[in-house]
Amino acid sequence: MKIADALNEDELFRLAYHTVKVGDVYAITMTAANGIKPKPGDTSRDKYFVVLGFDADGIAYGGVIVNSQINKNLPGHIKMYHMPIKRAKYPFLRYDSFVDCIQLKRVYPNKFNEWNYLGEIDDYDIELIIGTVRESPRESPEHLAQYGL
């Protein structure tokens, strides 16, 4: 039995609130509601989510996802917002990968018991990721501020 199985939704929320920090990486099942486009025939995708910030109420987390490769159909000016990260530095990665810094994704801790903690991104890379997100043409100062960025 997992500890999360013994907790109600409010207790899970509090656990997430006191556990999750900037730089943490979780494997999370994400949907279109989180800004993820599932593959045809699927309703969700499992993604690595890097926590970058929290909204003022602590009920939503803003972050970015990790992709094993950059979509070759993206225009060049969008591809440049994909930061490479190496498996040698982050052993939880299956491959050398890319952090998609083009737009923040939102997740809620109500399914915290379904998240799988993988590790964390070091401070140096988190600063690079946050800086890249701040420069993104698809992010607004208001949206960034919503998550303390």
Side-chain angles (χ1 to χ4, degrees), residues 52-110:
L52 297 183
F54 312 91
D55 73 354
D57 299 322
I59 59 170
Y61 303 153
V64 290
I65 58 168
V66 177
N67 292 313
S68 56
Q69 54 190 355
I70 300 173
N71 181 337
K72 63 183 180 212
N73 297 318
L74 291 175
H77 72 282
I78 298 297
K79 288 180 183 178
M80 64 187 269
Y81 292 95
H82 290 73
M83 188 183 114
I85 56 173
K86 300 289 185 182
R87 185 178 189 285
K89 187 172 183 179
Y90 299 109
F92 56 83
L93 294 173
R94 287 185 239 158
Y95 321 97
D96 288 346
S97 299
F98 299 88
V99 179
D100 178 352
C101 300
I102 193 67
Q103 193 165 20
L104 290 173
K105 309 294 185 214
R106 179 184 315 175
V107 297
Y108 297 95
N110 62 328

Side-chain angles (χ1 to χ4, degrees), residues 130-142:
I130 290 172
T132 304
V133 171
R134 286 180 178 150
E135 297 290 322
S136 171
R138 291 195 183 164
E139 277 301 339
S140 68
E142 297 80 19

